[in-house]
Amino acid sequence: MAFFGKKFRKFFFFFIGARILVTGAILGFYVHDSAVRTASKGGTFVEGTIENTTFLPLIDDSRHSRFNQNLLFSACLGLSSGSKGGFTPDLCSVSSTNNQSFTVTIRSGRNRSDGTPISIGDLIFTFENIIIANQRSLPKFESYAGVTVDLIDSTSLEINFETPSPDNRLFFLTPILPEHI
């Protein structure tokens, strides 16, 4: 029974302690080396895609893409979540007396996620180049080919549709893209 004596116990606990320390050190080095490093500024944007989903409104119009696009870009109007439904102002106030001619005014204090204020140039770019010109031939924009955009002042536009319809307000649900893209 001397085999399990005091010396054996000291050796056993020393061996277990050393093993725990070595294992902890190896685990620490592994975690440190495999950690993802992120740049604090700059870098390259890589668009993430899942099942042909895009974050850019001028590329695709699938249901998944629209969801992701609305996470990044706001529209002039949003959909009301109340029981009455309808539209709520987001980036702009939109008014009309006849559902054919609409006055769109940028709401004060509305900025992009990077702090840049929304400009009238952003609205004109999105309305004329993305929606009306429909450069990507998206089916949802085909009916807007005859829409005209007139500048009123530095914060307001007049949008004229070919025919009066309450559905013309759907035009203002498209995310507003920055003019510089």
Side-chain angles (χ1 to χ4, degrees):
M1 288 295 172
F3 183 72
F4 294 104
K6 198 174 194 179
K7 286 185 180 183
F8 177 78
R9 280 184 284 194
K10 282 184 180 181
F11 174 77
F12 178 76
F13 287 118
F14 174 79
F15 177 77
I16 295 298
R19 177 91 185 224
I20 290 172
L21 287 174
V22 169
T23 302
I26 291 171
L27 181 63
F29 285 120
Y30 173 76
V31 169
H32 180 268
D33 289 342
S34 64
V36 176
R37 302 187 196 296
T38 58
S40 59
K41 187 173 183 179
T44 302
F45 173 75
V46 178
E47 181 186 359
T49 58
I50 301 170
E51 297 178 8
N52 298 325
T53 300
T54 181
F55 293 100
L56 301 175
L58 50 138
I59 302 292
D60 188 22
D61 190 36
S62 69
R63 181 174 55 95
H64 296 290
S65 294
R66 280 193 309 265
F67 173 80
N68 291 326
Q69 293 157 11
N70 288 326
L71 292 175
L72 296 175
F73 304 104
S74 295
C76 282
L77 295 178
L79 292 174
S80 174
S81 60
S83 61
K84 293 181 181 180
F87 301 98
T88 59
D90 191 356
L91 296 179
C92 311
S93 60
V94 178
S95 60
S96 177
T97 57
N98 59 9
N99 285 326
Q100 184 173 4
S101 178
F102 290 83
T103 301
V104 179
T105 304
I106 299 173
R107 294 175 63 204
S108 63
R110 300 303 293 180
N111 296 328
R112 298 200 175 282
S113 60
D114 65 356
T116 314
I118 301 296
S119 72
I120 201 72
D122 296 339
L123 295 179
I124 292 171
F125 169 75
T126 301
F127 293 158
E128 288 184 344
N129 296 332
I130 304 301
I131 301 175
I132 297 169
N134 196 10
Q135 296 171 353
R136 290 295 202 172
S137 301
L138 296 176
K140 78 174 186 177
F141 295 150
E142 289 174 356
S143 62
Y144 299 127
V147 175
T148 60
V149 177
D150 299 312
L151 181 66
I152 297 173
D153 58 37
S154 64
T155 60
S156 299
L157 296 173
E158 184 174 335
I159 311 294
N160 295 297
F161 293 85
E162 293 179 308
T163 58
S165 171
D167 290 341
N168 287 339
R169 288 189 185 269
L170 298 173
F171 179 87
F172 304 107
L173 293 176
T174 301
I176 302 300
L177 299 177
E179 180 180 18
H180 64 273
I181 67 165

